[in-house]
Structure formats: C-alpha cells, structure tokens
Amino acid sequence: MKVLVIGSGGREHALVWKLRQSPRVTKIYCAPGNGGIAEEAECVPADIKSLDSLLAVANQIQPDLTVVGPELPLMLGVVDEFNKRGWRTFGPTRAAAQLETSKSFAKEFLQRHHIPTAHYAICNSAEDVRSALPHFHAPIVVKADGLAGGKGVVIAHTKDEASMVANEMLSGKMLGEAGVRVVLEEFLEGDELSFLVVSDGERVAPLVAAQDHKRVGDGDTGPNTGGMGAYTTRTIVDDQMRDWLLHHVARPVVAGMKAEGAEYKGVLYCGLMMTARGPMVLEFNCRFGDPETQPILMRLESDLVEAIEASIDGRTSDGDFKWSDAAAVCVVVASGGYPGTFEAGKKIMGLEDAAKLDGVKVFHAGTTRRDGSFYTSGGRVLGVTARAPELETAVKQAYDATAKIGFEGMQYRKDIAARALKR
Ligand code: AMP
Ligand code: GLY
C-alpha cells in the first residue's frame, strides 16, 4: 500500500515513522516533508496552502491512503476534493473541520449540545465588544474566530486591554481575515489536557491523553507557541475520567455533527481545561496535535493504518488501539527568538549521539538536509522524544538526548512534565 502524508512538521515525522511500521505499507511519501522526514519517506515538493498543488501531488503518486497532518488543507477542503476523486483520505471534510476553523461555530455548537465550555460572547463589531464586556470579569480571553497559527488567543488582564485587543483584531490589522470576528471568553483555571479520539462519523476510539506546554518559557511564562513539549503516562487520565470525557464530550460532539449534517470523520482533538467545576472544552482541533502526537504515537503498539482504515470504512471500535503502559515525553527544541522572529540555516550538531540513547527518537519539525548535515528551517526545529517504563526515566532520557544536541540560538523548556513529576 502506498501512503501519502501531508505536512512538514514534527507531527508528520511521527506519523511517517509510525505508519511505515505497518506491514501493509510498501511505500511512504510526504508532501512536502522536511530534512528528517526525508530519511524515512520520499518527500515530494508541495504547497499545503494550495489545493491544486496537493491534487497534483496525489495525481502523480496515486496513493492508496492519504493522511492529512495540518489544519490548513482541511480548511481548504482537501478531504472533500480527494474523496470526490475516490482517493481514500483520513480527516474531516471542510464542513466538519469548522469545529477548529471557526471558534464561533465551535462555541455555538458546544452550547447547542450542552457540552461544558467557558462562558463567551461572539462579537462582530466594536459595538458588540462594548455591550459584551460588562458581563465579564478580568482576566478575559480574547480569541480571533479564524485560524491564526497559535497567535489568535490573548489573555487580557483588564477590560480596557480586552477591548483594545478585540478592536485591533476586528480591524483586520492584527490577524487579517481570521480576526474580523472575535470571541470573548471567561478565563478558566486548571490543568490543560489534550484528549484525542478517532471517529468514523458515529463511533469514537480514544487515544491516550497527553499534556502540552503552550508557553515558551519555563513555569508557563512568556507568549503562547504551537507547543513546547508534551508528555503522556498511563495515569494522566484514569479510566473513570476517560469514560466521562467520552460520554460528555467526544461522543456528543460526533453525534451532534452527524445530526447537523456534517459527519465528523478523522481525529478530533479536544483541548480541555480541568477546572474545579469539571472538565471544560477550550478548543477543538480537527487533526492530530503537535507535539502531542510524538509521545502519543511512541506509546502506540498496534497498527495505525488499521485504525485509520477503520475510521474511513465506518467501523471504528475501542479495540483499534493497543497502548503501552510506558510514559513518553517530547521536548521541543526551537530556534532562538521563537515564537517571534528567528534566523534559520543554523547547522545542527549531535543528532546521531542523541538518537543512540535508550528509547529516544528525535522527530524533525523544521530542518533541511544538505551534504549529509541538518540545518534549522523553522521556529520549532526538533521534538526530542523518549519512552520509558516510568515518567521520571523518560524525562531524563529526553533531556539527556537534548543535551547532546546543539545549534546557534537553540532554546527549549527545562520543565516538560515537571508538574506531573512533583505530584
Ligand atoms: P485555544 O487556541 O483556544 O486552545 O487557546 C490557546 C491557549 O490559550 C490554550 O491552550 C490555553 O492555554 C489558553 N486559553 C484558551 N482559552 C482559555 C480560557 N477560556 N481560559 C484560560 N486559558 C485559555
Ligand atoms: N499542541 C497544540 C496543537 O496541536 O494545536
């Protein structure tokens, strides 16, 4: 079977790594991929912002299965277009992907279906913001409605700041089209949890839960990023909580989407805040998380191709995934300056030594390969991931491996999974 993975980050490297372990996969392609992925798949140039480009790639390769990594092609309708041509593709349609691509759609959907989420107001104008603000207490979360690549959420500490940020977004100056509608939201406190399930449009099968670390700095300081590291353990969510989340969140979402005529197939990523009032939905993503996928797939012991085909064919079941009890940790290594401006093209040293350590896999997120060496090419550069029976050992292995790696300006958080270790 020929498999095509769309995307170029750490998540896609982990998908390629796992998919090619399937005895059914004879050839794997990645469009466009990156330097590290090129060691394990044939990388094909592609522009993920262009459906024409992706259609041309698939036309040329004729894959038996396509797995879509990032949200952008899903928003453009890559699954709709591929399905029309009879190409088997894993992911939601454009209409179903609205759960991620429009925060106002997601909030109204959650409310219609009585799924727990923060109080909110949808604002289309400065006038809407003025009349909504009296109903909130600071801090207030201001969110751009559309996709903003992790830059669309601002936690405002005063009402004045919330008003300023919301109006800046609405003007289109801050985030363009993505911000011409905003959602004001009640600020929630608690631990964040990434709870992912695979759905066939009707049934759901859970993946093991993970925790991301969104802020750039240790102790959750500094600006939000795409994610600076993640971990998963057998105890991060107990069976009772997993069943609660399936019953009160994942299944009602899938049933609600079906009832509304936008069947949800693919990965549904539920971003949750575990508050004193119980778990609440912060956001949905219509795809695998990055970096959560890296440690999650290190714990997967069954065939990912089988689970994906079950979703496409409408026969998802609990037994689709077999998990190791081990813990897995991913430390994201980023370019200096990220999530702001950074310089690319720095030579990366020590990758071979890092990979030699027990249970370690270095996933590439933003690298290129030239004359046998790797160079940085993105904000997030690597996802140094380790698996071990206990979390403490996995953390140690991931950091020992990270310490072997070096490039000019390299930065990473030193406290991935630290809170879990303290408990
Ligand atoms: P989102 O893209 O909606 O997940 O928001 C990005 C990040 O902002 C989340 O992962 C949280 O860390 C934070 N965030 C979003 N909504 C809230 C909220 N209502 N209360 C507190 N933090 C939030
Ligand atoms: N790690 C957060 C995301 O994938 O959106």
Side-chain angles (χ1 to χ4, degrees):
M1 163 191 273
K2 283 188 287 186
V3 178
L4 168 64
V5 174
I6 295 177
S8 63
R11 163 184 52 208
E12 287 75 21
H13 192 180
L15 285 167
V16 161
W17 170 81
K18 189 69 207 176
L19 289 166
R20 74 194 281 270
Q21 291 171 16
S22 169
R24 304 204 18 229
V25 174
T26 49
K27 174 93 194 179
I28 188 152
Y29 298 88
C30 192
N34 64 37
I37 294 174
E39 308 261 281
E40 297 177 50
E42 183 173 331
C43 290
V44 195
D47 175 5
I48 64 155
K49 297 189 290 302
S50 153
L51 278 185
D52 287 341
S53 165
L54 296 174
L55 286 166
V57 165
N59 241 325
Q60 177 202 331
I61 292 170
Q62 295 290 324
D64 301 298
L65 173 67
T66 300
V67 179
V68 186
E71 59 276 19
L72 194 67
L74 294 166
M75 177 174 87
L76 297 175
V78 69
V79 173
D80 311 59
E81 289 302 318
F82 277 36
N83 282 346
K84 254 191 239 163
R85 289 161 177 79
W87 297 334
R88 287 163 69 73
T89 313
F90 181 60
T93 59
R94 182 189 164 115
Q98 278 184 96
L99 280 176
E100 172 168 5
T101 60
S102 168
K103 295 212 187 268
S104 57
F105 174 88
K107 293 300 281 192
E108 290 181 323
F109 176 90
L110 286 162
Q111 193 171 49
R112 273 199 298 284
H113 295 279
H114 311 291
I115 299 165
T117 191
H119 294 301
Y120 70 99
I122 295 170
C123 302
N124 291 300
S125 65
E127 181 49 39
D128 289 352
V129 175
R130 237 187 333 270
S131 46
L133 275 176
H135 303 288
F136 287 86
H137 297 285
I140 300 168
V141 186
V142 184
K143 298 186 175 182
D145 187 57
L147 290 184
K151 297 188 179 73
V153 176
V154 175
I155 294 165
H157 297 282
T158 63
K159 289 193 179 187
D160 282 348
E161 188 191 348
S163 162
M164 212 177 67
V165 172
N167 288 324
E168 184 84 11
M169 284 183 184
L170 286 167
S171 75
K173 273 183 237 143
M174 192 170 156
L175 298 163
E177 269 298 298
V180 298
R181 174 178 295 159
V182 303
V183 177
L184 300 182
E185 218 175 85
E186 165 200 12
F187 178 78
L188 298 175
E189 271 172 291
D191 264 338
E192 280 187 58
L193 186 75
S194 306
F195 182 67
L196 284 69
V197 301
V198 165
S199 174
D200 64 1
E202 215 172 303
R203 286 155 290 261
V204 300
L207 309 191
V208 290
Q211 187 171 54
D212 190 8
H213 295 62
K214 289 247 166 72
R215 305 291 200 94
V216 73
D218 287 355
D220 296 325
T221 53
N224 258 323
T225 68
M228 293 299 289
Y231 76 93
T232 165
T233 63
R234 68 179 175 279
T235 53
I236 187 167
V237 155
D238 61 20
D239 292 355
Q240 200 183 344
M241 178 56 79
R242 183 199 57 210
D243 291 347
W244 193 96
L245 294 172
L246 286 170
H247 188 77
H248 291 92
V249 181
R251 288 198 192 106
V253 171
V254 168
M257 291 299 281
K258 188 177 161 90
E260 294 186 10
E263 198 181 51
Y264 194 97
K265 279 182 164 215
V267 174
L268 175 69
Y269 168 133
C270 309
L272 304 161
M273 189 72 92
M274 309 305 267
T275 75
R277 286 183 282 158
M280 301 217 168
V281 175
L282 288 179
E283 62 159 347
F284 292 115
N285 293 320
C286 57
R287 46 159 180 88
F288 285 103
D290 190 346
E292 291 94 325
T293 302
Q294 291 83 314
I296 287 175
L297 291 185
M298 293 245 332
R299 289 186 58 198
L300 181 61
E301 295 196 320
S302 51
D303 188 343
L304 182 58
V305 172
E306 298 284 347
I308 285 176
E309 293 221 290
S311 155
I312 293 174
D313 295 334
R315 51 180 173 79
T316 288
S317 88
D318 249 355
D320 290 349
F321 297 101
K322 300 268 182 297
W323 302 101
S324 150
D325 274 345
V329 180
C330 172
V331 175
V332 169
V333 176
S335 296
Y338 174 79
T341 51
F342 57 84
E343 280 177 33
K346 310 292 182 197
K347 187 169 183 174
I348 307 169
M349 315 299 287
L351 286 168
E352 277 178 20
D353 287 341
K356 276 186 208 140
L357 293 181
D358 232 18
V360 169
K361 172 75 189 172
V362 180
F363 294 112
H364 289 230
T367 70
T368 52
R369 194 175 52 166
R370 214 168 47 238
D371 307 325
S373 297
F374 289 96
Y375 296 83
T376 65
S377 66
R380 292 191 290 177
V381 176
L382 303 165
V384 182
T385 311
R387 187 183 114 156
E390 297 304 328
L391 180 62
E392 203 170 350
T393 328
V395 169
K396 182 174 184 308
Q397 288 298 82
Y399 279 112
D400 283 353
T402 304
K404 304 222 178 270
I405 295 169
F407 57 85
E408 192 191 321
M410 155 172 160
Q411 58 159 334
Y412 59 91
R413 273 182 67 161
K414 315 287 186 298
D415 65 344
I416 303 304
R419 274 210 306 231
L421 283 177
K422 250 186 240 147
R423 274 199 287 273

